Amino acid sequence: MKRILLLISIASLALTCVDFLPAQAAATSITLSVKQTPSTGEPIVSLYGQIKPAKGLVKISIQVELDGKWQNTSLTAKTASSGTWRIESIATALDSTVKYRARMRNGSATIYSTPSTITVQQSPEISSADPATLIELSGPGGRIHGVDISRWQHPNGAAIDFTKMYSAGVRFVMIKASDTRDLSDAQALTYVIADHNAAQAAGIYTGFYHYATLPDSTDAAVIVKDAQAQAQKVIWRLASLGGYTNRDLSYALDLENNCVRPSSNGGCSKSASRNAVTLWATTWLAAVAEKTGRLPILYSYPRFLESSMIRSAELLKYPLWLAHYAINPADPLAQPGQKNGGCFVHSWTTANCSSLWMMWQYSSCGIAKKYGVPGSRLDLNVFRGTPNMFLDLVKGTWTPEIADQMPTQEASAIVINSMVATTTLKPVIFNVSVTRPTGNPVVTGTVKYVADKESQLPLTPVQTAVRASSGNWVLTVRGIPAGSWPGKVNFIDISGTHAPTSIPVVITVTQGATPTPTATPTSKPSVTPAPAVDTCKNQIIN
């Protein structure tokens, strides 16, 4: 969208401001940020923001203050389903300070953002209009430098200074945008919306990644359905951000954990097989590629690729984002993905034991504040190829259609596949499935047992719902006394994607034998705390 941004008084602008009505608009708000975006030609200004509560297809218009009066401009945008909007325009006047504000209609009220002021500077003269001239080789080893971020780079909700990040030489940032786990997914959504627009406005290319948790199943059909469901979550998330633009790198799959059944001590009691991990990954990657028209990226580390996946020509066609620390990209002969005396053998291994990586995460111990990031640590990356190779990755936009948007309160159906209830000494265990109208598993949500009030259950049971695969949970309920207790198993989705549903159940347990009490020690032996581990030891601190 390249409309002319008017920074001087123009007679054709009409004054049509409507007074702000606080009582009518108290529940709705709109934000505005204005930044000059680095460019090779005429100065580019980005205006962006978000409306809350989020709503898609809302018209946003921009007003400028000229001669002490707010006047309309021709700049407009429609919000994405996440409530975000963005306008990019060419500036025709320089070195003048101008104030803008965004406006929207909310019923009969007109809502304005807080005004934002900018002074547009003349862009530095660049001999070529090729965008590649803005992709500086400022990383170690003369490579393109990048970072990746998540909620951990926002301690106490602090914002990232992407303008400082750009000035420090960073040209791409991979942002955590989604997660298999609902709580972590909601936390990612909190920051990806603001970070995406702010980074691009500062001149930084953006990408996204999805942290994957695999299903607890050996059934190939279940594994495929789970991968397709998680791919659907990613497509919905990408659609809520407006799809792919020409400043977006592809979505990445963060696949670094094959544990499908964590143990109570924090370890892992069951891991997915190599065949299962590979089937899941190829299904997810293919589903996202088919929908968006771009090859997604796979993120992992060498030992996982070797020990947890099988070699596959299908995997090889996807770009690899490789994590390998303690070797320095400034060394021209440094090769990530090599052992100290042998090869890591996986889909991207070459004949000389190196790896066909596209991006290399070389440190998790970057000096965060150097790059405008609150906190102390930051993941650092380099891109393998030339600026033109980098720009090839952002070719091919994808604009979502209405059908690609995440549904709201979509109907769901719940089934109890099995229930095991014996005595008061053992928990009650349900296996529960919830499906969409298509018959596919729901993408988000969880399940919970609730006793009928009339049954007057004397105790509040302790329960946990463990996701076995998308739309399938093992619900464990402890503390049910002897008797028959009517109630319901409820499906709840805090994201509001799928509508709640429930199914009646009757739990019947008998009284178990009284357990023999065990002696309680009068004192605990002293334990020497383990020494702190320096996780940045031997890493590149840059």
Side-chain angles (χ1 to χ4, degrees), residues 49-62:
Q50 182 183 10
I51 64 169
K52 293 183 179 181
K55 186 178 179 181
L57 301 178
V58 176
K59 182 180 179 180
I60 305 298
S61 58
I62 302 299

Side-chain angles (χ1 to χ4, degrees), residues 434-454:
V434 184
T435 54
R436 303 176 61 194
T438 59
N440 293 325
V442 293
V443 177
T444 56
T446 190
V447 293
K448 183 179 182 180
Y449 167 74
V450 178
D452 289 347
K453 291 183 179 179
E454 295 78 10

Side-chain angles (χ1 to χ4, degrees), residues 419 421-423 428 480-485 506-510:
M419 179 181 72
T422 54
T423 73
V428 179
I480 300 292
S484 291
W485 309 100
V506 177
I507 296 178
T508 301
V509 297
T510 59

Side-chain angles (χ1 to χ4, degrees), residues 180 210-215 220 222-231 234 251-258 272-290 294-300 304-305 308-320 347-348:
T180 305
H210 172 80
Y211 183 87
T213 302
L214 302 181
V222 171
I223 293 168
V224 166
K225 281 192 172 183
D226 183 83
Q228 290 171 337
Q230 292 199 47
V234 162
Y251 226 110
L253 172 63
D254 182 348
L255 187 57
E256 54 182 291
N257 180 12
N258 65 346
S273 69
R274 296 173 68 199
N275 282 325
V277 176
T278 305
L279 174 61
W280 193 98
T282 52
T283 301
W284 187 99
L285 292 164
V288 174
E290 180 182 9
R294 276 198 194 179
L295 290 178
I297 301 163
L298 180 76
Y299 167 89
S300 196
F304 185 92
L305 295 173
S308 300
M309 304 181 76
I310 59 174
R311 297 185 72 183
S312 162
E314 174 70 12
L315 282 175
L316 180 57
K317 72 181 185 182
Y318 297 102
L320 176 64
S347 299
W348 292 268

Side-chain angles (χ1 to χ4, degrees), residues 151-359:
R151 69 182 181 92
W152 299 110
Q153 277 66 57
H154 292 276
N156 300 315
I160 294 173
D161 185 347
F162 289 101
T163 300
K164 183 175 182 180
M165 184 181 288
Y166 182 91
S167 298
V170 170
R171 289 299 177 266
F172 69 93
V173 55
M174 302 297 290
I175 309 169
K176 182 175 180 180
S178 53
D179 196 299
T180 305
R181 304 158 296 179
D182 286 353
L183 178 58
S184 296
D185 186 68
Q187 291 169 331
L189 181 59
T190 300
Y191 296 107
V192 65
I193 292 172
D195 287 348
H196 178 227
N197 277 338
Q200 288 197 0
I204 301 172
Y205 288 80
T206 56
F208 312 104
Y209 69 92
H210 172 80
Y211 183 87
T213 302
L214 302 181
D216 185 0
S217 178
T218 57
D219 185 330
V222 171
I223 293 168
V224 166
K225 281 192 172 183
D226 183 83
Q228 290 171 337
Q230 292 199 47
Q232 181 64 71
K233 175 182 275 191
V234 162
I235 291 164
W236 283 340
R237 182 58 44 78
L238 183 57
S240 76
L241 296 169
Y244 283 138
T245 71
N246 58 6
R247 289 190 180 177
D248 285 315
L249 298 164
S250 293
Y251 226 110
L253 172 63
D254 182 348
L255 187 57
E256 54 182 291
N257 180 12
N258 65 346
C259 182
V260 297
R261 195 179 299 171
S263 57
S264 57
N265 63 1
C268 184
S269 60
K270 181 185 176 184
S271 297
S273 69
R274 296 173 68 199
N275 282 325
V277 176
T278 305
L279 174 61
W280 193 98
T282 52
T283 301
W284 187 99
L285 292 164
V288 174
E290 180 182 9
K291 185 62 183 178
T292 63
R294 276 198 194 179
L295 290 178
I297 301 163
L298 180 76
Y299 167 89
S300 196
Y301 57 96
R303 192 169 298 282
F304 185 92
L305 295 173
E306 178 184 65
S307 64
S308 300
M309 304 181 76
I310 59 174
R311 297 185 72 183
S312 162
E314 174 70 12
L315 282 175
L316 180 57
K317 72 181 185 182
Y318 297 102
L320 176 64
W321 177 11
L322 190 67
H324 195 164
Y325 306 152
I327 53 177
N328 198 331
D331 177 0
L333 300 181
Q335 289 286 349
Q338 285 186 330
K339 291 180 180 177
N340 288 330
C343 285
F344 284 107
V345 179
H346 51 73
S347 299
W348 292 268
T349 303
T350 67
N352 65 357
C353 285
S354 63
S355 296
L356 294 173
W357 56 273
M358 181 191 73
M359 293 192 297

Side-chain angles (χ1 to χ4, degrees), residues 26 53 95 137 145 161 189 198 213 219 229 281 323 330-331 357 363 370 373-374 384 431 445 499 505-506 517 542:
D95 298 323
L137 302 175
H145 213 194
D161 185 347
L189 181 59
T213 302
D219 185 330
D331 177 0
W357 56 273
S363 178
K370 173 181 175 180
V373 176
R384 183 170 192 156
N431 186 289
V505 294
V506 177
N542 190 5

Side-chain angles (χ1 to χ4, degrees), residues 362-375:
Y362 68 89
S363 178
S364 66
C365 296
I367 305 168
K369 288 183 173 58
K370 173 181 175 180
Y371 302 97
V373 176

